[in-house]
Amino acid sequence: MKASEARLGSTPPASAATGSHRECLASKGAIPKAFVSTLLFCLLCTLPSLAAAQTPSFDALLSQSLDAFEKGELENAWQHASTAAESGAISADLEYNLGLLSLYRKDPAEAVLHLERSLALAPGDEETTELLEYAREELLKRVLRTDSERKLTQGEAQAFVWWRFFHAFSVPLLSWLLLLCWSAAFCLLIVRRFLRSEMLRDLGFVLIVLSFLLALGSAGLLLGHASSDDFRPAVLRAEDAQLLDAPSELAKGSQPDDLYRGALLQILEDRGEWVRVELADGSQGWLAAKDLGEVRIDVFPPKPMR
């Protein structure tokens, strides 16, 4: 490299730069400054894309989890699936995989949480329902093995039964069914007026009644779906939690039989760090929000467990 090229960015002594030479040197010194500024600007613009390129996508993480599971590397499969979940992705398949991996890790309580989430995202899925039943059985065996004197409530509370029933039907399907049934009923009423055959008129009357009944049923399901939209199920994730009488660590607490890690409960009131819940046996009290895992993560984003 020539000495003149190395000195383009340097500042000469004032006595050596006079007149036109000073202007020439100033113009030469502006070139590297502009170049450096442009280079920095380009780097700043490309940094987010570079960071995104280095961060595995949700599909990549899910694929890596599946590959690790097929190889029998359960911990790697769990890590990849957990990273995908922590990225904020909401997927019934991901939650199903986390539930299955939890069972392999001998943690039925965590399996119940993830499988409940999967079923909430994809209501009626038979594979998830069967695996959830198995996870519940394993969880209850573990609870009773720890304390055989516990009297656990069998089955689910009525609120859960109704929530699962109404949310087994999608709102768009019910809306289209309601519209079609009402339209069919009114069209049949008009057509029936122009029919002269008694047999056809009787058949038309039966079809009209059926259409009205289907429309009323669809409307009832839509109302039930809307009334249960704020239903908030959760799963207890903490060990040895106590049901408190008030939202305070100083409040008096108890440990009912239906309060155990993996227990399904309903959140009735949310006060930030504290939530009022109802257990399967109907008892109510307060728990720390951080000790619970939300089930309907598409409606109520889960709070990080500290």
Side-chain angles (χ1 to χ4, degrees), residues 236 241-249 251-256 259 265-279 283-292:
L236 182 62
Q242 287 203 341
L243 196 65
L244 303 177
D245 294 339
S248 171
E249 294 181 354
K252 182 181 178 181
S254 61
Q255 197 168 29
L259 188 67
L265 44 84
Q266 179 186 357
I267 296 178
L268 302 175
E269 184 180 351
D270 189 341
R271 292 191 184 179
E273 295 184 356
W274 298 94
V275 290
R276 186 166 63 88
V277 301
E278 180 174 327
L279 306 183
S283 57
Q284 297 183 8
W286 294 86
L287 290 172
K290 61 182 177 61
D291 292 340
L292 301 178

Side-chain angles (χ1 to χ4, degrees), residues 38-58:
T38 305
L39 182 61
L40 288 174
F41 176 76
C42 293
L43 286 173
L44 289 174
C45 291
T46 55
L47 278 177
S49 59
L50 289 173
Q54 293 177 355
T55 303
S57 65
F58 168 75

Side-chain angles (χ1 to χ4, degrees), residues 167-190:
H167 283 260
F169 306 92
S170 66
V171 173
L173 174 64
L174 292 174
S175 301
W176 276 109
L177 184 60
L178 176 61
L179 179 62
L180 289 174
C181 289
W182 276 116
S183 302
F186 282 111
C187 289
L188 287 170
L189 276 173
I190 295 173

Side-chain angles (χ1 to χ4, degrees), residues 11-284:
T11 304
S15 58
T18 57
S20 61
H21 295 88
R22 184 183 290 115
E23 295 177 1
C24 181
L25 289 171
S27 63
K28 288 182 179 179
I31 295 175
K33 290 180 180 178
F35 175 75
V36 171
S37 300
T38 305
L39 182 61
L40 288 174
F41 176 76
C42 293
L43 286 173
L44 289 174
C45 291
T46 55
L47 278 177
S49 59
L50 289 173
Q54 293 177 355
T55 303
S57 65
F58 168 75
D59 292 333
L61 288 169
L62 194 58
S63 177
Q64 291 171 3
S65 177
L66 292 173
D67 291 341
F69 179 75
E70 291 176 356
K71 295 176 182 177
E73 301 172 355
L74 297 181
E75 275 307 312
N76 286 338
W78 173 263
Q79 289 297 330
H80 291 310
S82 299
T83 303
E86 290 170 359
S87 68
I90 297 177
S91 165
D93 291 335
L94 173 61
E95 295 297 334
Y96 177 88
N97 293 345
L98 287 168
L100 181 60
L101 287 168
S102 297
L103 286 174
Y104 275 100
R105 301 174 82 228
K106 309 296 183 183
D107 191 352
E110 193 72 10
V112 167
L113 170 61
H114 292 294
L115 292 172
E116 285 284 2
R117 287 176 174 177
S118 179
L119 199 59
L121 293 170
D125 186 84
E126 293 183 4
E127 194 172 0
T128 306
T129 302
E130 292 177 1
L131 193 60
L132 177 58
E133 289 297 326
Y134 173 76
R136 285 176 178 169
E137 291 175 3
E138 291 299 308
L139 175 61
L140 293 181
K141 289 179 183 177
R142 175 171 294 188
V143 171
L144 292 175
R145 220 171 15 243
T146 306
D147 183 4
S148 59
E149 299 298 324
R150 276 182 181 263
K151 296 181 179 179
L152 303 177
T153 302
Q154 299 298 320
E156 292 185 332
Q158 189 174 7
F160 281 90
V161 175
W162 284 114
W163 169 67
R164 295 188 193 280
F165 173 74
F166 288 128
H167 283 260
F169 306 92
S170 66
V171 173
L173 174 64
L174 292 174
S175 301
W176 276 109
L177 184 60
L178 176 61
L179 179 62
L180 289 174
C181 289
W182 276 116
S183 302
F186 282 111
C187 289
L188 287 170
L189 276 173
I190 295 173
V191 171
R192 186 173 180 274
R193 296 186 60 184
F194 297 96
L195 295 176
R196 295 184 178 180
S197 171
E198 287 297 326
M199 184 178 67
L200 291 178
R201 288 176 64 86
D202 292 341
L203 178 61
F205 177 77
V206 172
L207 292 176
I208 291 170
V209 172
L210 288 176
S211 298
F212 272 118
L213 290 176
L214 284 174
L216 289 174
S218 302
L221 289 174
L222 281 172
L223 289 174
H225 198 288
S227 64
S228 61
D229 270 346
D230 58 349
F231 185 77
R232 193 172 173 183
V235 172
L236 182 62
R237 304 183 77 177
E239 295 278 5
D240 302 324
Q242 287 203 341
L243 196 65
L244 303 177
D245 294 339
S248 171
E249 294 181 354
L250 303 177
K252 182 181 178 181
S254 61
Q255 197 168 29
D257 289 341
D258 285 325
L259 188 67
Y260 52 89
R261 184 171 180 265
L264 186 65
L265 44 84
Q266 179 186 357
I267 296 178
L268 302 175
E269 184 180 351
D270 189 341
R271 292 191 184 179
E273 295 184 356
W274 298 94
V275 290
R276 186 166 63 88
V277 301
E278 180 174 327
L279 306 183
D281 61 357
S283 57
Q284 297 183 8

